[in-house]
Amino acid sequence: MENSTHTQTKVKWQCPSNIAIVKYWGKKNIQIPCNSSLSITLSNSFTEVEAELSAKTEDVPVQLAYYFEGELSDLFGRKVVKFLENNIDSFPFLNDHALTIHSTNSFPHSAGIASSASAFGAIALAMLDLAYGFQNKEIDDNFYKEASNLARLGSGSACRSVFPSYSMWGKNSEIEGSSNQKAIEIKDIHPNFQEMRDAILIIEDEPKKVSSTIGHGLMNNHPYAEARFIQANKRTAELVEVLKTGDIERFIQISESEALTLHAMMMTSSEYYLLVKSGTITAIEKLMQFRLERVIPVCFTLDAGPNLHVLYPKKYQEQVEDFINNELTDTYKKVIFDHEGTGPQKLDI
Ligand code: DP6
């Protein structure tokens, strides 16, 4: 290949999705969050991205062929081209190389799981790995910080997926090292929250009716925005403490209130909309009743859709999964059993 002395022209990365406990909802400028957020990086729900360079044949700023599940995908491909063009300083080799990306998800396309976090996480990692190759740099801790920053520019929540386990994003005066540009890993985790389980109940598998980008936009001039951003920052700081001390009751309250607050923001924006379905509400009610009767610390959260994430410590796995498999089946179409994971990884080709 012309002008290249490096050896690495093809890399493959796997990056998991994440589920936010404190929600990012509202952004300004270039992907700067209006409040800090904190999430669990998952394990079984991931995107794999293979990125390969070849000689450029077209006179365009970025020449990209983007394949999703083996098929050329123009829609998402255009989003990725925009991301690469906006960040060409990080990927100068794209000035004289064409790029082919093959992307696959571990979860079914129709599952209704947000894939932009895992997709942009994997894209950022693969592209930065190629960039490091050109500079003869080794992958170190700094690599993941840079990848998180780049992933954020593709999709905000993606910056948290670059780190394993519990990860937070957004400047918070109470949390040392926190930043609007990238996520950080929250390390001091009480055994109660290690190996947390997340059963994703797919209540509805249609694509989202209102995109997250539009939803974030509706937080501008939202009547409750200011109070919401203050609340989320307080909760993020509190949750970091809760994760340290093991206070599972408080974890449950924060998780469920965040889910309902996120949806309350949607329902109270100027162009209001409703994403929860009757199955979502029934599953929530049954789950609360089950918790009360069985005294098991299980709770729920939601992302920007109707699907219910059921969260529980590993030691209650059997009881909760029996409950999901026997008592909730009339509320969901399928269920994906996932758990807190070890973060992204580079794969052999
Ligand atoms: C409800 O990260 O998908 O999942 O930055 O526009 O790509 P963009 O938005 P996105 O928003 C995610 C919102 C959320 C909450 C969260 O993950 O914190």
Side-chain angles (χ1 to χ4, degrees):
M1 206 179 307
E2 264 179 77
N3 300 335
S4 60
T5 52
H6 68 292
T7 49
Q8 185 180 244
T9 54
K10 191 172 171 180
V11 296
K12 193 168 181 181
W13 278 84
Q14 183 185 93
C15 185
S17 185
N18 70 75
I19 179 67
I21 307 302
V22 177
K23 310 292 180 183
Y24 147 56
W25 200 242
K27 61 178 166 181
K28 52 196 174 192
N29 304 326
I30 309 169
Q31 297 284 98
I32 299 298
C34 293
N35 61 259
S36 51
S37 57
L38 198 154
S39 60
I40 304 178
T41 300
L42 297 175
S43 186
N44 300 334
S45 311
F46 59 77
T47 297
E48 277 181 12
V49 155
E50 188 182 272
E52 184 170 23
L53 297 174
S54 57
K56 209 166 180 176
T57 55
E58 288 170 29
D59 187 19
V60 288
V62 167
Q63 184 181 339
L64 170 70
Y66 188 91
Y67 293 85
F68 177 66
E69 310 281 356
E71 300 212 357
L72 256 180
S73 166
D74 269 352
L75 197 66
F76 198 67
R78 273 199 291 276
K79 213 174 161 183
V80 178
V81 167
K82 209 168 137 210
F83 162 74
L84 296 170
E85 283 178 356
N86 289 343
N87 297 291
I88 197 75
D89 288 353
S90 299
F91 315 118
F93 53 90
L94 290 178
N95 287 317
D96 48 16
H97 292 86
L99 174 67
T100 303
I101 290 181
H102 283 275
S103 173
T104 53
N105 288 343
S106 63
F107 42 90
H109 186 45
S110 60
I113 295 182
S115 61
S116 72
S118 52
F120 270 107
I123 291 167
L125 287 156
M127 294 309 294
L128 192 64
D129 190 7
L130 288 172
Y132 265 44
F134 278 95
Q135 299 165 50
N136 287 320
K137 275 164 75 176
E138 294 292 326
I139 292 177
D140 54 5
D141 283 354
N142 217 35
F143 172 84
Y144 289 95
K145 291 180 188 168
E146 276 186 64
S148 178
N149 180 25
L150 285 166
R152 166 186 64 91
L153 295 163
S155 176
S157 56
C159 73
R160 297 185 310 237
S161 270
V162 168
F163 298 105
S165 199
Y166 293 84
S167 173
M168 71 87 49
W169 167 44
K171 184 77 198 145
N172 188 310
S173 57
E174 304 290 312
I175 304 167
E176 213 190 304
S178 60
S179 156
N180 282 337
Q181 271 69 35
K182 57 176 174 29
I184 55 170
E185 187 182 346
I186 301 298
K187 280 193 171 137
D188 195 358
I189 305 294
H190 188 277
N192 281 353
F193 302 116
Q194 289 168 14
E195 300 186 90
M196 197 67 154
R197 282 14 227 173
D198 176 12
I200 311 167
L201 310 190
I202 310 301
I203 308 268
E204 198 55 70
D205 51 12
E206 284 163 11
K208 281 191 206 172
K209 270 197 255 104
V210 182
S211 77
S212 286
T213 307
I214 291 173
H216 286 294
L218 289 169
M219 287 305 282
N220 297 324
N221 307 317
H222 191 294
Y224 306 137
E226 209 183 320
R228 163 61 197 155
F229 300 146
I230 291 170
Q231 176 192 55
N233 283 330
K234 275 197 190 143
R235 282 176 168 175
T236 308
E238 194 190 346
L239 186 54
V240 170
E241 279 309 302
V242 163
L243 290 173
K244 221 184 270 180
T245 59
D247 185 348
I248 208 145
E249 286 307 314
R250 190 62 192 138
F251 178 92
I252 290 173
Q253 286 162 358
I254 293 175
S255 173
E256 296 190 345
S257 177
E258 274 296 303
L260 298 178
T261 304
L262 169 71
H263 285 259
M265 290 300 112
M266 299 170 191
M267 292 183 215
T268 51
S269 55
S270 55
E271 283 163 56
Y272 51 84
Y273 59 108
L274 193 61
L275 295 183
V276 287
K277 301 278 181 190
S278 56
T280 319
I281 310 268
T282 307
I284 288 176
E285 284 173 344
K286 286 189 172 180
L287 184 141
M288 286 175 156
Q289 191 60 30
F290 171 78
R291 180 169 66 221
L292 206 65
E293 281 168 10
R294 302 283 300 274
V295 199
I296 287 175
V298 54
C299 67
F300 71 85
T301 187
L302 295 159
D303 61 14
N307 300 331
L308 201 70
H309 289 250
V310 180
L311 304 172
Y312 46 101
K314 191 182 176 199
K315 68 172 173 181
Y316 298 100
Q317 186 166 351
E318 209 182 309
Q319 293 99 308
V320 177
E321 292 180 7
D322 273 356
F323 163 69
I324 291 170
N325 290 327
N326 296 314
E327 309 292 325
L328 295 185
T329 40
D330 56 342
T331 65
Y332 61 82
K333 293 190 172 163
K334 50 181 167 283
V335 54
I336 295 172
F337 291 104
D338 210 334
H339 56 89
E340 179 210 335
T342 50
Q345 50 175 316
K346 184 170 179 172
L347 303 174
D348 293 332
I349 303 172

